[in-house]
Amino acid sequence: MQTSSDRHEYPAHWEADVVLRDGGTARIRPITVDDAERLVSFYEQVSDESKYYRFFAPYPRLSAKDVHRFTHHDFVDRVGLAATVGDDFIGTVRYDRIGVGGRPATGAEADEAEVAFLVQDAHQGRGVASTLLEHIAAVARERGIRRFAAEVLPANTKMIKVFTDAGYTQKRSFEDGVVRLEFGLEPTDRSLAVQYAREQRAEARSVQRLLAPGAVAVIGTGRTPGGVGRSILGNIRDGGFTGRLYAVNGALPEGQKELDGVPAFRSVRDIDGPVDVAVVAVPAERVPEVVAECGAHDVQGLVVVSAGYAESGPEGRERQRALVRQARSYGMRIIGPNSFGVINTSPEVRLNASLAPDMPRAGRIGLFAQSGAIGVALLSRLHRRGGGVTGVTGLSTFVSSGNRADVSGNDVLQYWYEDADTDVALMYLESIGNPRKFTRLARRTAAAKPLVVVQGARHGAGPRGHAVRATQLPHATVSALLRQAGVIRVDTITDLVDAGLLLARQPLPAGPRVAILGNSESLGLLTYDACLAEGLRPHPPRDLTTAASAADFHAALSRALADDSSDAVVVTAIPSVGEGSVGDAALAEALRSAAAERPTKPVLVVHVELGGLAEALSAATSTAPQPGSAPGPDPAPRLGERAEPRPGESPALRPGEHAGPRPAADEGAPADDKDAPAPPPEDAGSEDAGSEDAGSEDAGSEDAGSEDAGSEDAGSEDAGSEDAGSE
């Protein structure tokens, strides 16, 4: 720390954890007098070429005077920042305030400073310099500096690119063989766009490294069957993971080389080869030892399913903070702790690193939840409802954030935004800690693909274990922000699944006109009122009566789809009883075949679950066209894509969509849950109407929770400041 003679105390609020371009993490902090040895060691590892570019002359080592100058700052006119991984510097930046003629000046005299960087060669290309520039610019603005000047050798094209790509308004000149760059530090639209783009790439890459690893080690695989670690090991193996899988248990007998058909080791350090992700399933008191071993082996990320952290009280919360600090010191990101796990159904990955015993059906829906129990319920509902008359739908990726100490819903949104395998994003959010960032990210994501959110914690109390303070905004205000961002907000997890399936499988209606038909007058009237409440224009319901046959349903649906005065059709169905009543299988096939005749209009089936209609609707997909079959008509846009309205007609809005310009978002999430995998909850309903595209399964609803907007930077609660992003 600085001495008492320094003009300012150590500015701890300048410290921040950041995500770099390759998805790894670093910590940015002010350089102090205690960093002399670190600075010398860092400089020794820099190449002679980089030293030459920094000092414009051969400069093999720092003198004692240099070391003193580069470690003694007043944090006003002279500031130095370092990017660190563990205890080591990987890059440095400094500014010195200058006045007329480039001479040293004080705050009262000048608002310009000279800036210079140096990045260790092994870490060049990771976005270290760009991230340092954003942070030193923020520091300079805080200290009254409005412009930076930098002198760069023409051959140092990498550093010139860092300055020119930053997006600030700048002026360039060339004299005495040196390029001089001058630029203002006030953020511009372009500099903010550059920052957000770099942030998006970095955070998306950090999640991608966790969801698509080449090698996974499960640490804490018990020697006897059962237990969390052993179960996850079996789930990864049985799911057909395409990478390398290892079992790790420090208590394995000497000489044991295999466990459940998987190569086994006593420590991750004994594995001959890289490990991208470690699934940690050991008691909380042993986790620090495991993290240290993973860091020594250059593991890239951790999925921590171990409980005993912030959800267990103050002692656990401090243990959680220490876990994040330790993982960050090695450049690793964490999902969890207290996580249910992660799933990636991509054929190139096939990773089921979770407590779900079966790999979900592959599909185009991304799912984020914090709670393990809610994650189980959502996975179960998606699996059971994934078949419909318009096709089979499943999961692309699933992330259970657990206590969300690091990786949050914000990070997952960044990943989904550019993930070609995800068409619809579903999020169960228990609180929103940073509405601004979540809104920004949600607006951008919702403009590219539908985003559906269940938002809970209406009274502002986040669950135990949540690492980020919940928003104090009223629930109605947050709901309005989500709507304006283009988010589809629903109230229950049943609605979340139904909306996801509808958006994934159905075309976008060309307008707000809805045809309603079915064999229940009461359900038809309820549907009519619901459409009116959502601003749609429903036609009077057509009652087919309870005597309607499968052929009657087919004929009525065909006519409604052919009618140009309707843009969408809702079919309501109640099970009929008695001799000659329509069977579930026959009705499902009738609806499927009629919908196939007009694939350009969405068809929604609302039914009461007393019979087996949902299962029959799913089974009806066996008649869907198979790969290699004759091509049909050009596909209609999926629900969530844009379709042009008819002349003189307003375009239809998705539920929760705002007609005006869409704002943006910021987010993260908490965790209160150390639920062990529970059996999927039984659906509540029988008489309530459930909904699904061409058939859903139950009406049961469940109260929502929600995630929160969580941390920016590398996501943790104690990151200090909002990370300027990463490159």
Side-chain angles (χ1 to χ4, degrees):
M1 299 296 170
Q2 301 299 107
T3 66
S4 58
S5 61
D6 289 319
R7 291 173 49 190
H8 277 253
E9 296 295 325
Y10 177 80
H13 65 285
W14 292 350
E15 296 181 355
D17 291 296
V18 297
V19 185
L20 302 175
R21 178 185 293 161
D22 61 358
T25 65
R27 186 166 186 79
I28 292 180
R29 64 170 178 81
I31 298 174
T32 72
V33 296
D34 299 325
D35 290 319
E37 291 185 9
R38 296 182 187 88
L39 183 65
V40 171
S41 175
F42 159 73
Y43 194 78
E44 289 174 348
Q45 298 176 64
V46 174
S47 69
D48 290 339
E49 181 183 56
S50 293
K51 292 173 181 175
Y52 185 87
Y53 284 153
R54 169 64 178 85
F55 292 104
F56 300 178
Y59 215 86
R61 65 186 58 82
L62 295 175
S63 67
K65 183 178 180 180
D66 293 328
V67 173
H68 183 275
R69 174 169 176 76
F70 295 155
T71 56
H72 286 68
H73 304 103
D74 61 13
F75 301 128
V76 178
D77 300 324
R78 292 182 298 107
V79 173
L81 301 179
T84 66
V85 173
D87 204 37
D88 299 325
F89 285 8
I90 64 171
T92 61
V93 62
R94 61 176 289 107
Y95 78 66
D96 291 270
R97 195 186 298 260
I98 56 175
V100 178
R103 292 188 297 271
T106 65
E109 301 173 352
D111 61 0
E112 184 175 0
E114 191 170 56
V115 65
F117 296 82
L118 187 58
V119 177
Q120 204 178 101
D121 294 68
H123 294 275
Q124 291 179 10
R126 300 183 66 199
V128 176
S130 298
T131 306
L132 283 170
L133 175 58
E134 288 174 0
H135 282 256
I136 197 74
V139 168
R141 289 194 296 269
E142 181 181 327
R143 296 311 194 203
I145 292 172
R146 297 291 173 259
R147 295 184 305 282
F148 270 167
E151 294 187 343
V152 186
L153 290 174
N156 193 358
T157 55
K158 290 181 180 178
M159 189 53 61
I160 291 175
K161 182 173 174 58
V162 168
F163 288 118
T164 56
D165 288 352
Y168 297 108
T169 302
Q170 60 181 251
K171 181 173 65 176
R172 182 187 300 200
S173 59
F174 181 81
E175 57 184 64
D176 297 330
V178 174
V179 176
R180 181 176 176 84
L181 299 169
E182 300 179 19
F183 50 94
L185 299 182
E186 288 304 314
T188 65
D189 289 344
R190 182 165 176 262
S191 70
L192 290 174
V194 168
Q195 176 182 327
Y196 292 154
R198 178 161 49 249
E199 172 193 74
Q200 190 276 322
R201 290 193 303 268
E203 293 177 359
R205 174 60 179 157
S206 72
V207 173
Q208 192 269 341
R209 297 203 310 179
L210 290 160
L211 291 178
V216 174
V218 182
I219 304 175
T221 52
R223 288 180 292 171
T224 57
V228 172
R230 191 77 170 262
S231 297
I232 293 177
L233 180 72
N235 294 342
I236 298 174
R237 180 201 60 206
D238 297 342
F241 178 52
T242 59
R244 299 176 301 280
L245 177 61
Y246 306 102
V248 177
N249 184 346
L252 287 175
E254 287 284 354
Q256 182 172 343
K257 302 299 182 183
E258 192 176 279
L259 186 66
D260 294 342
V262 176
F265 300 87
R266 300 183 69 181
S267 169
V268 71
R269 292 178 296 185
D270 298 332
I271 297 174
D272 185 16
V275 173
D276 300 310
V277 170
V279 180
V280 181
V282 301
E285 58 270 17
R286 285 199 51 222
V287 170
E289 170 192 346
V290 168
V291 174
E293 292 179 355
C294 290
H297 197 69
D298 293 327
V299 173
Q300 294 182 350
L302 306 173
V303 177
V304 181
V305 299
S306 307
Y309 287 89
E311 82 283 354
S312 63
E315 183 178 344
R317 182 174 290 277
E318 183 51 45
R319 186 183 295 122
Q320 185 167 297
R321 290 192 179 108
L323 169 63
V324 173
R325 287 194 297 268
Q326 184 186 19
R328 296 277 179 75
S329 73
Y330 293 107
M332 295 186 289
R333 298 213 69 181
I334 300 172
I335 291 178
N338 198 23
S339 169
F340 186 74
V342 299
I343 297 173
N344 186 347
T345 65
S346 167
E348 289 76 33
V349 181
R350 291 196 58 80
L351 175 66
N352 180 15
S354 79
L355 288 162
D358 299 310
M359 173 71 86
R361 180 189 293 113
R364 314 287 298 176
I365 296 175
L367 177 61
F368 176 90
Q370 178 192 336
S371 161
I374 296 300
V376 170
L378 287 168
L379 289 171
S380 173
R381 279 175 164 82
L382 274 173
H383 183 74
R384 289 176 6 236
R385 298 185 184 183
V389 297
T390 53
V392 175
T393 301
L395 199 70
S396 61
T397 48
F398 166 73
V399 175
S400 165
S401 66
N403 288 13
R404 221 233 56 207
D406 181 15
V407 172
S408 72
N410 277 351
D411 301 292
V412 179
L413 271 181
Q414 301 276 41
Y415 170 78
W416 281 336
Y417 174 73
E418 64 178 26
D419 180 31
D421 292 333
T422 300
D423 291 336
V424 179
L426 308 182
M427 305 189 79
Y428 174 86
L429 306 181
E430 290 170 351
S431 64
I432 297 181
N434 192 335
R436 182 180 58 184
K437 182 175 181 180
F438 179 70
T439 306
R440 171 168 59 85
L441 299 185
R443 177 196 293 143
R444 184 186 58 189
T445 303
K449 54 191 69 175
L451 172 60
V452 189
V453 170
V454 172
Q455 173 209 356
R458 292 181 179 237
H459 302 293
R464 291 175 301 141
H466 183 204
V468 174
R469 184 178 66 254
T471 177
Q472 299 302 307
L473 293 176
H475 188 274
T477 302
V478 175
S479 296
L481 287 173
L482 296 180
R483 279 196 303 274
Q484 291 173 1
V487 172
I488 301 170
R489 196 189 70 78
V490 296
D491 294 325
T492 71
I493 63 172
T494 298
D495 293 343
L496 184 69
V497 172
D498 287 341
L501 293 172
L502 176 66
L503 291 161
R505 293 196 298 223
Q506 295 278 16
L508 181 71
R513 302 167 303 175
V514 181
I516 303 168
L517 61 94
N519 63 353
S520 167
E521 182 180 11
S522 297
L523 278 185
L525 291 173
L526 287 172
T527 304
Y528 181 86
D529 290 342
C531 289
L532 288 176
E534 292 297 328
L536 300 174
R537 290 161 48 190
H539 299 313
R542 182 179 179 191
D543 182 15
L544 304 180
T545 77
T546 56
S549 66
D552 293 332
F553 270 94
H554 182 281
L557 179 55
S558 294
R559 283 194 297 271
L561 289 170
D563 185 355
D564 289 338
S565 69
S566 66
D567 303 304
V569 182
V570 177
V571 178
T572 62
I574 60 171
S576 53
V577 295
E579 192 173 342
S581 63
V582 60
D584 292 326
L587 177 55
E589 174 55 28
L591 295 174
R592 188 206 66 79
S593 59
E597 295 170 2
R598 297 271 182 168
T600 57
K601 285 186 183 180
V603 178
L604 178 71
V605 176
V606 181
H607 64 92
V608 174
E609 189 187 12
L610 290 178
L613 182 56
E615 288 76 9
L617 286 168
S618 296
T621 60
S622 61
T623 61
Q626 300 299 312
S629 60
D634 291 338
R638 289 192 312 277
L639 192 58
E641 295 177 345
R642 295 295 179 192
E644 293 300 320
R646 291 186 174 89
E649 199 166 73
S650 300
L653 298 179
R654 297 198 301 270
E657 188 174 42
H658 190 273
R662 297 178 171 192
D666 236 310
E667 177 269 318
D672 146 310
D673 175 39
K674 48 182 190 298
D675 308 324
E682 292 298 323
D683 285 311
S686 53
E687 64 193 72
D688 286 338
S691 73
E692 189 171 336
D693 333 19
S696 122
E697 144 172 13
D698 74 20
S701 74
E702 184 157 350
D703 284 337
S706 90
E707 181 217 332
D708 79 324
S711 65
E712 291 227 298
D713 305 327
S716 103
E717 59 187 313
D718 57 348
S721 71
E722 181 174 308
D723 173 6
S726 33
E727 169 178 286

